[in-house]
Amino acid sequence: MGVFTIYPILYSGYLSLHAWDGLTAAKPFVGFDNYVRLASSGVLGRSIWVTLYYAAGVTVGGLLLGLVAAVLIHWVGRGAAVYRSIYFLPAITATVAVAVVWKLLLDPGSGYVNTVLRSLGIIGPSWLRSPVWAMPAVIVVGVWKRLGFNTVVYLAGLQTIPHSIYEAAEVDGASRWNLFRRISVPMLAPTTLLLAIMSVIDSFMVFDQVFIMTGGGPIGHTEVLGLLLYKLAFRYLDLGGASAVGWVMFALIAGISLVQWRLSGSGSRGVGL
């Protein structure tokens, strides 16, 4: 653990304070110049904004669709195991394969998405090359990839709610919508908080999906922090700058974990009709 985890973390912190191209032995000390240079160029700020945009879209979309799918499967009852397996399939599919398939589907010329739109008389955009549509398209794939995991976790949460609570509410005349809004949603609040934090952290570490689908383009509109780190390290041989990006990611994720720790005490809410 010390060799493969702690040492690389400490060494990346050391590199973030030095200028190094990875080829020469010289590593001149530059202090916080790598951080200042990235911040003043606007590249780091834009990448943080793009990452937050992606994280917000994937987290909100994944939570809403996962909750709806879980409730529908829970109410159906019969065949729930089959639906659960189908929804969980994207979660265990390799991200590289998913990204390649979706890139083909979203191809503006031969992709099935625009082919279907053309059959309806609609001219589809160039999804992955448009500054407007590239990030929403990447978010849709991220939501699709995360939907199964959220659904299974929500289903587990729903099964822990005592059925007697629903029966008592039904005796009082509560509709199915009120059962969902006033019992299911409040009692799933801790589950929602856990899934939200996990989704945000996973979103901050996204790389392969964006690398394959857009490569960070067009004009940096999908250049998330993981992709910026990769480009600095292996395309521009700026290992000091790449290490600085890594530590910025660490600080952001640590901040989110701190928020989780602070909110975990208020994650449980009462139930009321």
Side-chain angles (χ1 to χ4, degrees):
M1 179 178 177
V3 174
F4 296 105
T5 303
I6 296 177
Y7 174 73
I9 291 174
L10 296 178
Y11 191 64
S12 69
Y14 167 81
L15 284 182
S16 72
L17 303 176
H18 294 73
W20 190 39
D21 59 7
L23 301 175
T24 60
K27 302 184 187 69
F29 178 76
V30 296
F32 289 97
D33 282 0
N34 286 324
Y35 296 91
V36 174
R37 173 169 52 85
L38 290 171
S40 59
S41 68
V43 174
L44 182 60
R46 183 188 64 190
S47 188
I48 291 174
W49 165 249
V50 169
T51 307
L52 288 173
Y53 180 14
Y54 175 83
V58 170
T59 300
V60 174
L63 288 176
L64 288 176
L65 294 179
L67 178 59
V68 171
V71 170
L72 291 176
I73 293 173
H74 187 65
W75 284 349
V76 168
R78 180 177 297 179
V82 176
Y83 290 116
R84 191 165 53 237
S85 301
I86 294 174
Y87 275 98
F88 197 68
L89 189 60
I92 59 175
T93 305
T95 304
V96 173
V98 169
V100 170
V101 170
W102 273 97
K103 186 176 182 179
L104 294 174
L105 291 174
L106 295 172
D107 185 272
S110 58
Y112 282 110
V113 174
N114 276 5
T115 300
V116 171
L117 291 177
R118 277 196 297 271
S119 68
L120 299 174
I122 301 172
I123 304 300
S126 182
W127 297 99
L128 301 179
R129 300 171 190 164
S130 165
V132 176
W133 289 103
M135 181 51 80
V138 172
I139 288 175
V140 167
V141 178
V143 170
W144 182 82
K145 188 79 173 64
R146 191 157 189 84
L147 177 60
F149 180 78
N150 288 354
T151 301
V152 170
V153 175
Y154 269 132
L155 266 174
L158 284 169
Q159 290 169 356
T160 63
I161 300 175
H163 197 65
S164 58
I165 297 178
Y166 290 109
E167 291 176 343
E170 287 175 343
V171 170
D172 290 338
S175 64
R176 181 159 283 194
W177 167 247
N178 280 331
L179 295 179
F180 170 74
R181 187 166 64 94
R182 295 184 178 275
I183 296 179
S184 300
V185 172
M187 296 198 73
L188 287 173
T191 305
T192 301
L193 177 63
L194 173 66
L195 287 174
I197 296 301
M198 292 177 65
S199 179
V200 170
I201 293 175
D202 284 346
S203 298
F204 266 82
M205 294 190 294
V206 68
F207 168 73
D208 44 2
Q209 175 195 334
V210 181
F211 178 76
I212 292 173
M213 293 186 69
T214 66
I219 324 173
H221 280 76
T222 59
E223 191 173 71
V224 293
L225 283 169
L227 196 57
L228 174 63
L229 188 154
Y230 166 81
K231 287 182 176 179
L232 288 173
F234 300 105
R235 185 171 297 177
Y236 306 120
L237 298 179
D238 179 11
L239 271 71
S243 298
V245 172
W247 275 89
V248 170
M249 291 176 64
F250 171 78
L252 290 171
I253 293 174
I256 293 170
S257 300
L258 179 61
V259 171
Q260 178 193 24
W261 178 72
R262 294 295 299 271
L263 293 179
S264 59
S266 57
S268 302
R269 297 180 180 175
V271 178
L273 293 171

